[in-house]
Amino acid sequence: MLNRVPFNEALLATVGTPERTEVLDSSPRSRVWRVRLADRQVVIVKQITDDGDTGADADTRFAREVAGLRLAGRASGPAVAPALLATDLPSRVMVLEHLDDLGRTDDWMPGYAESLARLHALTGPADAGALPLWSGPTATDAESFLALARALDVAVPATVPDELGGLLQRLDPTPYHALLHGDPCPGNDLRTADGVRFVDFERASLGNGLIELAYFRIGFPTCWCAMSVTAAPLTEVEDVYRSTWRGLTGKDVPGDLADACAGWLIQGDALVERAHRGTVDQLARVPAEDFEWGPVSARERLVHRLGVVADMTRDHDHLHAVGRLGSALADRLLERWPNLRPLPTADARPWY
């Protein structure tokens, strides 16, 4: 029964007795309820399921979310995630603080960027091993990107393979220890009276925070609702992120944002929803078919990313040739498929 909350005796003793339950929308990989307890307190109950996963994968997602929430709970100022109230490991159940979402608010991005920086700044070298390291692009992704250029009859500058090799080395997450959400998409952020809080930490990891700051430029790559942020709004959110990070850590944000964006560009799996990642070479599909995920297509996502990287690397010391290749690839895609649309602007983000 979906309306039956999976509370064992320990949770009943710790949290209380459910009096009223409401099933909430969630991904196929979890079940979520809003629960009013007998003492009138309202909580959120989330159960990680093995639908579409092996049991081991579901166990890993549960462990990552619990670890991510516990690390996020360190925030000494405004919270950046709901409080984790209780867990039941055998049933993969967690009980979370209920948050009142304000829904649509104007100019949502600065608050999002501030909370993202606060989240990233919560961890450091002492937390190594608390979560898996961020998993970025590989040599296979780089070769798929080069194969895409060849399939579209776009000449590859001679220095591009070496530039991509250097990019992969610089994207090594080992030196970094920021707490990454893993999927900071619209719908995984709640706008509360105390600021933005993030939910759904199933993909939490440790790495460089620029990987997620890059979402604004590169079009929210792990999200079904890809969108474009440019001009003054983009400058503002990046300034908010960097100033918040500096205020919390006393240091400038490490790393190179152009590297982070180029990393998202060459990952074909960032063109499809999670259920289809790791199944086939997604970039190899692009010349033969355009496939949709949400309101935009793979080619439309790709053209946006190519343009972003081309713009960011015009004078870049290590990615200049990659940028020139990106510009040529974007031109070729638009030449072959002139009806490709730009990504929706950020003021058109979906609201839940």
Side-chain angles (χ1 to χ4, degrees):
M1 294 287 292
L2 286 179
N3 280 324
R4 184 175 180 180
V5 179
F7 272 23
N8 61 12
E9 292 299 324
L11 285 178
L12 289 170
T14 302
V15 178
T17 303
E19 183 177 84
R20 179 182 300 173
T21 63
E22 176 188 359
V23 179
L24 302 180
D25 290 337
S26 63
S27 78
R29 298 174 298 278
S30 64
R31 301 187 186 98
V32 181
W33 298 262
R34 182 185 292 114
V35 178
R36 190 176 71 180
L37 303 171
D39 65 0
R40 301 308 218 184
Q41 180 185 7
V42 178
V43 298
I44 296 296
V45 177
K46 179 174 181 179
Q47 182 178 40
I48 302 295
T49 72
D50 53 13
D51 293 347
D53 272 345
T54 65
D57 289 335
D59 290 343
T60 298
R61 289 190 289 109
F62 177 80
R64 287 176 78 159
E65 180 148 19
V66 168
L69 285 165
R70 285 175 174 158
L71 291 172
R74 293 177 174 178
S76 57
V80 292
L84 180 66
L85 304 178
T87 63
D88 173 29
L89 175 59
S91 298
R92 304 190 204 101
V93 169
M94 62 195 82
V95 183
L96 306 169
E97 171 191 14
H98 176 266
L99 300 171
D100 290 322
D101 187 4
L102 299 178
R104 186 179 184 95
T105 56
D106 293 332
D107 200 16
W108 58 275
M109 290 184 294
Y112 175 109
E114 179 183 350
S115 289
L116 197 65
R118 292 180 59 81
L119 176 74
H120 292 166
L122 286 172
T123 47
D127 297 299
L131 280 167
L133 289 173
W134 172 72
S135 180
T138 65
T140 299
D141 292 309
E143 178 52 40
S144 295
F145 183 68
L146 296 175
L148 172 66
R150 293 191 291 267
L152 292 172
D153 298 320
V154 174
V156 177
T159 56
V160 165
D162 286 343
E163 286 190 358
L164 290 176
L167 172 67
L168 297 180
Q169 292 180 8
R170 294 192 301 277
L171 288 176
D172 178 3
T174 305
Y176 304 103
H177 305 91
L179 172 56
L180 303 183
H181 177 278
D183 194 26
C185 298
N188 287 341
D189 62 325
L190 302 178
R191 293 148 304 282
T192 75
D194 298 318
V196 172
R197 299 198 202 181
F198 294 100
V199 298
D200 291 341
F201 281 76
E202 296 176 26
R203 306 298 298 177
S205 63
L206 297 178
N208 188 340
L210 291 185
I211 297 301
E212 294 186 338
L213 177 59
Y215 272 51
F216 291 102
R217 283 187 183 253
I218 209 69
F220 292 77
T222 66
C223 314
W224 71 271
C225 49
M227 63 186 77
S228 172
V229 183
T230 59
L234 179 61
T235 299
E236 180 183 9
V237 296
E238 291 181 353
D239 286 349
V240 166
Y241 179 94
R242 291 181 184 278
S243 63
T244 301
W245 173 276
R246 192 179 302 112
L248 292 168
T249 67
K251 302 176 182 178
D252 289 333
V253 178
D256 186 337
L257 189 57
D259 283 346
C261 289
W264 285 116
L265 167 64
I266 67 173
Q267 291 186 74
D269 273 354
L271 295 173
V272 294
E273 60 190 294
R274 179 165 294 117
H276 300 304
R277 295 171 194 166
T279 56
V280 298
D281 183 345
Q282 304 295 344
L283 287 175
R285 297 173 61 193
V286 169
E289 59 176 317
D290 201 10
F291 40 100
E292 292 188 353
W293 172 28
V296 297
S297 73
R299 288 173 184 158
E300 290 166 344
R301 289 173 184 265
L302 187 57
V303 166
H304 176 82
R305 296 172 192 176
L306 289 164
V308 166
V309 172
D311 287 344
M312 295 183 74
T313 56
R314 295 185 195 282
D315 300 313
H316 198 277
D317 291 339
H318 306 298
L319 290 173
H320 182 64
V322 169
R324 286 192 288 119
L325 175 58
S327 180
L329 277 168
D331 289 344
R332 181 56 53 85
L333 285 165
L334 290 169
E335 173 188 298
R336 290 198 180 184
W337 297 286
N339 292 327
L340 295 178
R341 304 161 300 172
L343 297 190
T345 58
D347 58 5
R349 73 163 272 181
W351 297 91
Y352 298 85

